[in-house]
Amino acid sequence: MNKVFFLSFLSAVLLLAGCAKRPNLYTSEEMMREFTPSYLDFDYLSAKARVVLEEQNGKTTRGTLNLRAKKDSIIWFSLSPGLGIEAARGIITAEEIKIKDRINGQDIDLTYDQFQNTYGLKLSLDLFQNVLFANIPNAVSFRDRLIRVGKSFELTQRREGITYESIVGAQHGKVQELNTSSRTHKGKLSAIYPEFEDLQGQPFAYKILIKMLFEQESTKHPQSTLVNLEMNKVDMSHNPLSFPYNF
């Protein structure tokens, strides 16, 4: 267990579709009329998942993730690599990221600006939530670029120096692939959602493949990590959940 593991997981806490048809570039009016992205609608959500982490040095780690979320407010997780021992507990709010590393004591307590300055990757509560639930990364604006290619849309959005490129299924309105890049930092995030299943009448990605690229002060080159997340139990409820955390 090391800090790269927990940083990589945050993406969790990160498939091309369509035919080789001639792309159609949409005007703003057409975009608003025909492009209907789907956002997961919930009050409280709890989930359990299997996690496989592949680090750049070849190390592979497997574990179990327990996840809780209150929409647009908080994401909480507990990570156990095995034997029922909690290795880490984290909480993500609109203001900051906090992770308690119970194995190595390498805790994280950073605002999003501090995180970006340290690791070269711009994150936010909204982005975490949208990546976890295969939502488009930002609300649609007339300044965005939208192309229809076969059975999917290609959406390009630029916000605060970050470019977000999403492939969105026309049938269900969910992101099938996401890639981010920055003009000023080397950090990158990509996510692939190979399939969707029904969850209380809504399309839901039970499997997520996330790749994170971080800047590291100790190395000259960014470090990459691959996270494979497979949720095996997901519940949505109107009943409040607890988010126990002591940093």
Side-chain angles (χ1 to χ4, degrees):
M1 291 289 173
N2 53 44
K3 183 172 290 189
V4 173
F5 179 92
F6 304 118
L7 293 173
S8 303
F9 167 73
L10 287 175
S11 64
V13 178
L14 110 188
L15 290 173
L16 287 172
C19 304
K21 297 182 179 180
R22 183 180 179 181
N24 296 318
L25 182 62
Y26 281 61
T27 66
S28 297
E29 182 179 354
E30 289 173 321
M31 174 177 69
M32 297 303 293
R33 184 173 64 248
E34 298 194 28
F35 183 59
T36 54
S38 174
Y39 298 87
L40 186 67
D41 186 21
F42 70 97
D43 290 327
Y44 292 89
L45 180 145
S46 61
K48 178 175 284 189
R50 292 189 293 270
V51 178
V52 179
L53 169 72
E54 298 179 20
E55 299 180 41
Q56 187 167 307
N57 60 10
K59 180 181 178 181
T60 299
T61 304
R62 291 174 171 82
T64 299
L65 168 73
N66 287 292
L67 178 73
R68 299 176 188 176
K70 179 181 179 182
K71 187 177 180 180
D72 300 331
S73 178
I74 188 171
I75 298 172
W76 172 98
F77 70 88
S78 174
L79 181 65
S80 301
L83 303 176
I85 300 174
E86 184 181 65
R89 180 174 294 197
I91 195 165
I92 301 163
T93 67
E95 293 79 27
E96 58 191 353
I97 302 170
K98 291 188 175 185
I99 299 176
K100 184 69 175 180
D101 180 352
R102 301 188 184 280
I103 302 298
N104 302 306
Q106 297 177 338
D107 301 333
I108 295 175
D109 186 3
L110 299 172
T111 66
Y112 292 106
D113 287 341
Q114 290 172 335
F115 190 95
Q116 183 179 16
N117 291 334
T118 303
Y119 300 106
L121 186 62
K122 186 175 181 60
L123 299 175
S124 67
L125 174 64
D126 287 342
L127 184 60
F128 275 120
Q129 183 172 272
N130 290 334
V131 169
L132 279 173
F133 306 133
N135 302 329
I136 62 172
N138 303 284
V140 176
S141 167
F142 289 127
R143 60 182 172 171
D144 298 336
R145 185 172 185 268
L146 183 66
I147 299 176
R148 176 69 181 264
V149 183
K151 297 181 179 180
S152 64
F153 290 93
E154 295 182 1
L155 174 65
T156 302
Q157 301 175 295
R158 292 181 174 86
R159 303 287 190 275
E160 299 179 351
I162 309 298
T163 299
Y164 302 86
E165 296 178 302
S166 306
I167 297 177
V168 184
Q171 181 178 4
H172 47 58
K174 303 298 290 186
V175 173
Q176 296 172 312
E177 182 173 336
L178 169 68
N179 291 283
T180 74
S181 59
S182 169
R183 292 193 293 262
T184 57
H185 292 88
K186 296 180 180 179
K188 295 182 179 180
L189 165 68
S190 65
I192 295 176
Y193 309 86
E195 60 187 22
F196 294 85
E197 298 180 26
D198 180 83
L199 176 63
Q200 298 181 23
Q202 301 184 68
F204 187 83
Y206 280 82
K207 296 180 180 180
I208 311 173
L209 184 63
I210 300 171
K211 184 176 181 180
M212 306 286 288
L213 194 66
F214 294 105
E215 293 179 352
Q216 295 287 313
E217 294 181 356
S218 58
T219 61
K220 295 182 179 180
H221 304 288
Q223 300 296 303
S224 65
T225 305
L226 194 66
V227 181
N228 192 325
L229 184 67
E230 183 174 350
M231 301 189 191
N232 47 40
K233 182 180 180 182
V234 183
D235 294 308
M236 296 190 299
S237 173
H238 299 295
N239 299 322
L241 298 173
S242 62
F243 303 92
Y245 186 86
N246 292 314
F247 195 79

